[in-house]
Amino acid sequence: ALLPLEKQHSTQPESFENPPMYVAVMTYLGFGIVTLFGYFRDFLRAVGLEKCHIAREREEQKDFVPLYQDFENFYTRNLYMRVRDNWNRPICSLPGPVFDVMERVSPDYNWTFSLTGKTIDDVINMGSYNYLGFAENDGDFLKTVADRTQQYGLGVCSTRQEMGNLAIHEELEQLVATFLGVESSMIFGMGFATNSMNIPALVGKGCLILSDELNHTSLILGARLSGATIWVFKHNNMQSLERLLREAVCSGQPRTHRPWRKVLIMVEGIYSMEGSVVRLPDIVALKKKYKAYLYLDEAHSIGAVGPTGRGVTELFGLDPSDIDVMMGTFTKSFGAAGGYIAGKKELVDYLRSHSHSAVYASAMSPPVTEQILRAMKCIMGLDGTTVGKVHQLAENTRYFRSRLQEMGFIIYGNDDSPVVPILLYMPGKVVAFSRAMLKRKIGVVVVGFPATPITEARARFCLSAAHTKAMLDQVLFDLNELGDDLCLKFSRRKYSPRPQQHNNNDDTDFELDS
């Protein structure tokens, strides 16, 4: 029988509230109006009444295969260009809890930008993946990183298999394995490549990959490069996954019906656009039932969830040995760069000789390696400090989410997830929200179609342990005002307001009811 859909293993329910019908209608209507104006402007460009800034085919190349497809560029030139000022804003400071933004203007409706020479100072950073606050530039904290830089320099200029295998690389790999509770681990210099270059080494032709529909692009690229067959199951839907697993076992490969060489389930710990947490206990149960392999990407969950920051396996109280391939990145919770693959020693030894990223890529930079060591030792309490960064992040996350729900916003995701999407829906509101927040000195990330479904444009907030009570309360105050001004409070659910949990005399330490 199919597994029941109730989340018997989940620590907290996940919220995916649907908006009122009029919101969906107005969203489609907004895109329709903008599209009609786009076609009208294309007509004006065709007759020479409006200047066309975007790249086009030269007349002498019209008989060749076109490099620029007009239809593909329609969205870019007629919709995205009108709102391009909301993305790629130049930052000129440390991306900590606050940062400075370089002011820019456009004389031609966002086709080009020029800097004014001024800066917008002390913007509250609600968009960076600085979950534990390790993106810092304090000389006392970074002394060991400076020492390693003087000892080894900035670059290794070689691969690990040749002249680039340093002692601190091996030290970090041992520490990662200890931190995760597995036999062995291997580090890589780039987080994206950790997925895209290692998956082809694990599966190939004759193998089957079962991929969550909301998996990150790096997982999708790695799956496509592998040559394996890819089947997609609905997000966090165990019935959909089991249906595919049953078909894979019963039917085998197409045409020949031979058994699949391997069946690999690929999921993420926290999904960065939805804020949802993987239903890991149910997936592990299915994996064991159908004798498949499990690949877990913990880019956003390692360091960010679990009582001691060890990710979703700790969050659900699972044995790490139940996960065949544990992947994570150092670019978020650890304030550095790169990624890791961890698991059994046989797996890691195999990847050392078969992974393109291991054989051909340059080794991780020494100061980056030391930064990861420093951050991980701090999380594990090995450096003698008692800074509760993981606990602080959890408190910030629950407080921020609960207050948004009380205000009436529709938010997605799990209560434990520091990724908090606020649904904005309509394209005009997305643009107005981002610009208004920057005027209030709050930096946010807004995302719309085609990165999200056309009716689910959103603002994505990322909480950090470095955010103080004063910062969060200021953001919540501005959100409450802006939500009323722009009519963004679409939720029809009623939440009872919680009593004030913060000590007004303390900007950093507060507790919430469990």
Side-chain angles (χ1 to χ4, degrees), residues 318-332:
L318 297 178
D319 187 345
S321 63
D322 289 335
I323 315 301
D324 299 290
V325 186
M326 300 183 72
M327 178 271 173
T329 64
F330 303 119
T331 56
K332 300 170 179 68

Side-chain angles (χ1 to χ4, degrees), residues 46-63:
V47 298
L49 295 178
E50 181 177 333
K51 183 178 179 181
C52 184
H53 297 272
I54 205 164
R56 293 181 298 177
E57 301 292 337
R58 290 187 295 180
E59 185 66 25
E60 58 268 26
Q61 292 180 319
K62 63 180 182 180
D63 294 328

Side-chain angles (χ1 to χ4, degrees), residues 144-329:
T144 58
V145 177
D147 293 341
R148 291 294 189 186
T149 305
Q150 288 185 338
Q151 179 182 1
Y152 290 108
L154 291 174
V156 179
C157 303
S158 182
T159 68
R160 292 282 301 278
Q161 291 193 352
E162 294 172 347
M163 304 295 290
N165 189 32
L166 304 181
I168 54 173
H169 292 147
E170 296 185 357
E171 179 187 356
L172 177 56
E173 289 177 340
Q174 293 173 3
L175 187 65
V176 170
T178 302
F179 179 65
L180 297 175
V182 296
E183 294 179 7
S184 185
S185 74
M186 183 176 183
I187 60 172
F188 303 89
M190 181 181 178
F192 190 97
T194 305
N195 275 332
S196 60
M197 293 291 100
N198 282 296
I199 293 173
L202 297 173
V203 291
K205 189 175 182 181
C207 299
L208 174 65
I209 293 176
L210 301 180
S211 176
D212 189 290
E213 65 178 346
L214 296 183
N215 274 343
H216 190 263
T217 303
S218 59
L219 289 168
I220 297 171
L221 178 60
R224 290 175 176 173
L225 291 174
S226 70
T229 301
I230 304 170
W231 292 352
V232 178
F233 63 92
K234 294 179 181 179
H235 175 56
N236 257 352
N237 189 315
M238 297 302 103
Q239 287 185 331
S240 175
L241 175 59
E242 185 166 13
R243 194 173 294 112
L244 294 180
L245 281 167
R246 178 178 294 174
E247 182 179 349
V249 171
C250 295
S251 301
Q253 301 183 41
R255 294 190 299 274
T256 64
H257 299 291
R258 293 178 180 176
W260 295 100
R261 291 172 52 208
K262 295 177 189 173
V263 177
L264 179 66
I265 304 170
M266 289 199 320
V267 293
E268 295 185 48
I270 291 179
Y271 292 85
S272 60
M273 280 296 171
E274 309 300 310
S276 55
V277 175
V278 64
R279 293 176 59 182
L280 192 59
D282 296 333
I283 291 178
V284 169
L286 284 176
K287 166 225 165 187
K288 292 180 177 179
K289 179 178 179 180
Y290 291 95
K291 295 180 171 51
Y293 295 97
L294 178 57
Y295 187 107
L296 175 63
D297 178 346
E298 291 214 80
H300 287 268
S301 55
I302 193 65
V305 296
T308 61
R310 285 169 167 81
V312 289
T313 54
E314 184 184 45
L315 181 67
F316 290 107
L318 297 178
D319 187 345
S321 63
D322 289 335
I323 315 301
D324 299 290
V325 186
M326 300 183 72
M327 178 271 173
T329 64

Side-chain angles (χ1 to χ4, degrees), residues 366-396:
V368 171
T369 308
E370 179 59 32
Q371 162 66 10
I372 301 166
L373 282 166
R374 181 187 74 89
M376 192 167 291
K377 288 177 180 178
C378 179
I379 297 171
M380 298 171 70
L382 300 179
D383 61 350
T385 63
T386 56
V387 180
K389 289 180 178 288
V390 177
H391 179 66
Q392 186 67 52
L393 174 63
E395 288 187 335
N396 286 356

